[in-house]
Amino acid sequence: MAAEEESLEEIVAARKERLRALKAAQQLLNTPDEDDQNQPDDVDQTSTNMKFRNYVPHDKKLQEGKLEPPKPSKFEDPVAAVPPPSNKTEDPFLNIAPKKPNWELRRDVQKKLDKLERRTQKAMCKLMEQEKQKQLEEDAISGAGD
């Protein structure tokens, strides 16, 4: 028990010492500087170099610090200075639109058209063979009848 009381007393003493140090520091911060005590109160506080760029002060003393608004430098557009190329080529905007208004239909129906094209070719070949057969038969009949 005695050891605990001694340790508590040490903790309390340390805390009191810290509090005294904090009070001393606070008093140092609150006391005015010697330089401030030597200056009279009627000295113009606007002697600091204040510049007003965007604000117009109402006080006459402060209006001396007002600056003129900045003037933008002259801008020269580098893109406008370069002349456009004189090559008269096809307008690229003409290639954007489809040349025929039914191109979507053709795209969607292309498989069916291809299938139909193959069938048409087969039918034409078949008709040509039939025509040759008829001519051969007519030649055979006309040659046998002679």
Side-chain angles (χ1 to χ4, degrees):
M1 262 307 210
E4 289 179 15
E5 288 178 11
E6 288 177 13
S7 64
L8 284 175
E9 289 174 3
E10 290 175 2
I11 292 172
V12 169
R15 186 165 192 267
K16 284 184 180 180
E17 187 62 34
R18 283 195 311 259
L19 286 173
R20 279 190 208 119
L22 283 174
K23 279 185 181 179
Q26 188 69 28
Q27 285 179 354
L28 284 175
L29 287 175
N30 289 339
T31 57
D33 293 339
E34 293 175 7
D35 296 338
D36 290 344
Q37 291 174 353
N38 293 339
Q39 288 182 356
D41 289 336
D42 60 359
V43 174
D44 188 16
Q45 294 295 328
T46 60
S47 64
T48 59
N49 193 5
M50 296 177 69
K51 296 179 183 176
F52 299 104
R53 289 183 177 86
N54 298 325
Y55 175 70
V56 179
H58 296 290
D59 190 10
K60 300 284 184 192
K61 295 176 187 175
L62 294 176
Q63 285 185 356
E64 295 171 1
K66 184 177 177 268
L67 297 176
E68 291 183 26
K71 296 177 182 173
S73 61
K74 189 147 191 158
F75 177 74
E76 294 180 20
D77 191 12
V79 176
V82 177
S86 62
N87 298 353
K88 294 291 180 179
T89 58
E90 186 176 313
D91 189 15
F93 293 110
L94 293 176
N95 292 334
I96 292 174
K99 302 219 183 215
K100 295 182 181 178
N102 63 352
W103 69 276
E104 290 176 339
L105 269 172
R106 285 196 178 270
R107 180 195 64 200
D108 295 340
V109 182
Q110 190 63 41
K111 285 184 181 179
K112 293 178 182 176
L113 283 175
D114 291 343
K115 194 179 207 182
L116 237 121
E117 183 67 29
R118 287 192 300 266
R119 284 186 183 174
T120 306
Q121 291 296 328
K122 281 184 184 179
M124 287 174 66
C125 288
K126 192 175 182 182
L127 284 173
M128 288 174 66
E129 286 178 17
Q130 286 177 357
E131 195 63 36
K132 282 184 183 179
Q133 287 240 325
K134 278 186 184 178
Q135 282 184 355
L136 286 176
E137 287 177 5
E138 286 177 6
D139 289 342
I141 294 174
S142 64
D146 277 337

